Amino acid sequence: MTIQSGGDRRTPDQGIAPRDSGGRDGYHRAVAIDLEFNPFDDATRRDPYPLYERARRECPVYAHPGLPIVSVFRFDDTQAILRDPATWSSHFPPPPGVDPKDVPEPSMIGQDPPAHTRLRSLVSQAFTPRMIRQLEPRMRQLAAELIDAAVAKGEVDFVEALTYPLPVIVIAEIIGVPAEDREQFKEWSDRAVANLGNALFAAPSAERLAELGRLFDQMGTYFAALAEERRRVPREDLLTGLVQARFEGSKLTHEEMIRMLVLLLVAGNETTTTLIGNAVLELLAHPDQLARLRAHPELMPTAVDEIMRYSSPVQLDPRVATRDLDLRGVPVRKGQIVVTWIGSANRDEEVFADPKRFDVGREDNNHIGFGFGPHYCLGASLARLETQVAISTLLAKTRSFERPDDELLPLHQSIVFRGVTSLPLRLVPA
Ligand code: HEM
């Protein structure tokens, strides 16, 4: 597959910040290379990093042959796009052939300022680092219970035992939905994210769109009933806060409230599950770093951010061009989708010292695994703390843990995520 990569023909209004290319090939001159980038390819998804490295060097902006999609691989380009919603919108056009009337309004993640700003301000208070720190004792209790049960069994699927239940119970408690319904949430979350992002590179089928419509109807009915309960009997939870915002003049519509609840329930589940799973896998793959972390538990915060960087759960973050422009010589038309590859940006050698090294004590780790700009992950503090608590509890309660075999683990179906959906582990008690 031959592609053209752009030379440095940037103009001031291109929405891309200047950078010193450091003489990387492909930046100052147009070159034709064979990138062979198929985001669905299993081997590429398991280890996309050699391809990303080559793409950053040889074709930092890549127009996918035969598709109206452009991929962006460098850190500074990704950051410049994500920080500029006026040029790069989060509000996506309906897929080809789909009537815009049949596409529901998106939640805040698919809105631009000022609508996005208004919606986000209604929930942001519940997710500040201070609010999240208050949840730590409860998280530690949950993690201890789940890991004790896993250690007692000896061999478990760690996704079922810990990485799925911990984040879903915590977010259910924050929102104020019964954690006992978590099997139902899992079924909904799985359906919601099963093919997330895949339609960027291959149009979704009519059945998939209809299935998503049914799913949001079901979740909407569930939340509407709970919201009605909170209206009658308020509690100290986020759901009550949203219900009150709805009735106290913030102009939050019923539909906006339901979409917010669906987003909050879904956005933090698969992502955090994947991060905790990736943490276990990277520590197993780097025994020296595992030993260092056991000896220096105070490194847990930098370790978790290093996993976010080195093995980013969310690999891509797309935007839509709001006007015709030119990205490093590659023309982009208004309405065209540009995919920023967070997973690649987080290994950019221009930004991170020795980016291929997994270093649990890494300082100056300015990764963009939680996105950047106005849509920066609302749950970043929550996800960080959950993962720190999960891994520190695992280390404290086990002498060792290992995979019982070296079978290839099943990958998430959605190309947005890089992580496994099942993780058999053998746990030896401390
Ligand atoms: C490791 C775990 C997580 C990762 C990797 C992650 C990643 C991301 C990324 C990359 C974005 C930016 C999306 C964009 O630019 O359009 C985002 C946004 C968001 N995340 Fe997370 N997330 C994680 C955990 C959570 C958790 C636990 C919650 C729970 C509330 C959450 C809620 C959200 C919400 C609501 C948004 C949309 C924010 C907005 O539109 O302003 N995330 N996340």
Side-chain angles (χ1 to χ4, degrees), residues 11-143:
T11 58
D13 76 338
Q14 277 175 275
I16 287 290
R19 75 180 292 165
D20 174 3
S21 76
R24 289 199 261 196
D25 282 346
Y27 187 77
H28 292 295
R29 61 197 165 79
V31 288
I33 65 159
D34 283 330
L35 191 65
E36 299 276 353
F37 182 30
N38 172 3
F40 296 104
D41 177 65
D42 189 78
T44 305
R45 293 190 63 213
R46 286 182 193 276
D47 183 12
Y49 296 108
L51 184 138
Y52 289 163
E53 185 180 351
R54 191 166 166 233
R56 283 192 305 276
R57 190 175 59 237
E58 298 180 13
C59 55
V61 177
Y62 172 69
H64 290 257
L67 289 174
I69 292 264
V70 169
S71 279
V72 167
F73 294 97
R74 287 184 182 173
F75 186 95
D76 56 357
D77 290 346
T78 295
Q79 209 178 37
I81 288 171
L82 297 182
R83 72 148 63 98
D84 178 10
T87 311
W88 302 103
S89 169
S90 290
H91 199 114
F92 288 81
V98 175
D99 188 330
K101 288 200 298 299
D102 295 336
V103 181
E105 267 296 289
S107 67
M108 71 170 168
I109 204 166
Q111 303 275 357
D112 298 321
H116 168 260
T117 322
R118 176 179 66 89
L119 290 168
R120 185 161 167 135
S121 71
L122 291 172
V123 286
S124 54
Q125 276 306 313
F127 294 94
T128 58
R130 197 176 58 83
M131 290 297 281
I132 297 306
R133 269 196 303 277
Q134 293 175 9
L135 303 174
E136 184 169 349
R138 173 68 179 139
M139 276 182 213
R140 291 212 173 270
Q141 179 202 359
L142 281 170

Side-chain angles (χ1 to χ4, degrees), residues 82 90 108-109 116 120 127 171 263-264 267-268 271-272 275 308 313-314 317 319 342 369-371 374-379 382-383 386:
L82 297 182
S90 290
M108 71 170 168
I109 204 166
H116 168 260
R120 185 161 167 135
F127 294 94
I171 192 70
L263 173 68
L264 292 176
T271 44
T272 314
L275 176 60
M308 281 294 299
V314 169
D317 199 357
R319 291 293 187 268
I342 290 180
F370 288 115
H375 290 275
Y376 178 77
C377 178
L378 182 75
L382 176 60
E386 281 175 347

Side-chain angles (χ1 to χ4, degrees), residues 210-365:
E211 149 70 2
L212 277 180
R214 277 194 302 275
L215 172 64
F216 286 106
D217 284 350
Q218 285 169 20
M219 293 180 81
T221 308
Y222 175 86
F223 281 124
L226 277 177
E228 182 50 29
E229 269 180 48
R230 291 300 184 284
R231 196 175 67 79
R232 284 187 279 108
V233 187
R235 286 196 203 163
E236 288 285 310
D237 56 24
L238 184 70
L239 182 55
T240 305
L242 282 176
V243 169
Q244 286 170 348
R246 160 134 176 68
F247 290 100
E248 286 170 11
S250 82
K251 298 201 175 70
L252 182 72
T253 67
H254 178 76
E255 288 69 29
E256 283 173 334
M257 180 179 74
I258 300 296
R259 283 194 290 272
M260 178 72 84
L261 290 164
V262 171
L263 173 68
L264 292 176
L265 188 63
V266 170
N269 282 346
E270 208 61 47
T271 44
T272 314
T273 297
T274 305
L275 176 60
I276 304 173
N278 289 2
V280 170
L281 289 170
E282 292 308 341
L283 291 171
L284 285 174
H286 300 88
D288 60 324
Q289 296 299 306
L290 175 55
R292 189 175 165 208
L293 196 55
R294 278 193 184 279
H296 295 281
E298 72 280 5
L299 292 179
M300 197 55 73
T302 49
V304 167
D305 273 282
E306 179 66 341
I307 292 146
M308 281 294 299
R309 182 194 74 80
Y310 186 86
S311 189
S312 307
V314 169
Q315 288 280 306
L316 65 91
D317 199 357
R319 291 293 187 268
V320 187
T322 58
R323 56 186 167 84
D324 290 354
L325 40 74
D326 181 88
L327 275 183
R328 298 198 186 283
V330 175
V332 175
R333 298 277 153 254
K334 180 178 175 179
Q336 199 171 346
I337 292 173
V338 169
V339 173
T340 66
W341 289 88
I342 290 180
S344 172
N346 283 338
R347 295 279 190 112
D348 193 325
E349 35 294 284
E350 296 284 308
V351 177
F352 301 98
D354 201 359
K356 287 194 241 180
R357 190 161 50 90
F358 178 64
D359 172 3
V360 294
R362 184 180 287 270
E363 303 283 346
D364 299 326
N365 184 354

